[in-house]
């Protein structure tokens, strides 16, 4: 059986420690057996709208979405959360998986 794919979502623009937070989540999720898409790996050459297109396409290809603490402060993460709900993706919340 193939390992499930999980997309990490959280605040980036208004979070100066986002790289550390996303990397920590990526390590934790890999230890639990997931294949992980960390949106922080996308090179910083795109506009916000282009990033969102890339991120939403990646989210659609994943089985789960993992919402980091503080995601509600991010417009992009809220868009990703809403899209995940529309697609009936399983949504996991960091606050419940500590």
């Amino acid at each position: 059986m193939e390992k499930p794919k999980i997309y990490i979502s959280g605040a980036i623009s208004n979070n100066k420690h986002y790289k550390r937070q996303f990397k920590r989540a990526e390590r934790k999720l890999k230890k639990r057996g997931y294949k992980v898409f960390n949106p922080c790996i996308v090179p910083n050459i795109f506009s916000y709208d282009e990033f969102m297109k890339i991120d939403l396409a990646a989210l659609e290809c994943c089985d789960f979405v993992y919402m980091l603490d503080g995601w509600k402060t991010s417009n992009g993460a809220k868009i990703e959360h809403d899209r995940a709900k529309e697609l009936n993706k399983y949504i996991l919340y960091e606050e419940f998986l500590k």
Side-chain angles (χ1 to χ4, degrees):
M1 179 179 216
E2 188 174 324
K3 293 180 180 180
K5 296 181 282 274
I6 192 164
Y7 178 92
I8 302 172
S9 179
I12 291 179
S13 298
N14 58 353
N15 179 0
K16 64 182 176 180
H17 302 294
Y18 75 92
K19 286 185 181 180
R20 186 176 340 137
Q21 185 182 22
F22 276 75
K23 190 65 176 169
R24 183 175 51 238
E26 179 181 355
R27 282 192 304 270
K28 179 168 70 171
L29 293 165
K30 283 182 175 179
K31 282 182 184 178
R32 292 182 179 205
Y34 292 102
K35 290 182 180 180
V36 179
F37 183 84
N38 180 346
C40 296
I41 63 165
V42 177
N44 193 14
I45 60 171
F46 301 106
S47 70
Y48 177 82
D49 289 337
E50 291 168 329
F51 269 113
M52 288 307 300
K53 286 180 187 177
I54 293 165
D55 291 348
L56 291 172
L59 182 150
E60 287 189 27
C61 295
C62 290
D63 305 301
F64 296 87
V65 177
Y66 185 72
M67 305 303 298
L68 294 170
D69 288 348
W71 69 270
K72 291 179 182 177
T73 67
S74 166
N75 289 334
K78 288 189 276 189
I79 290 168
E80 292 166 349
H81 184 266
D82 290 348
R83 185 66 180 138
K85 286 176 83 172
E86 289 172 6
L87 295 168
N88 293 315
K89 299 286 181 181
Y90 293 103
I91 303 173
L92 305 172
Y93 299 90
E94 182 178 33
E95 62 193 271
F96 299 120
L97 295 175
K98 291 191 177 189

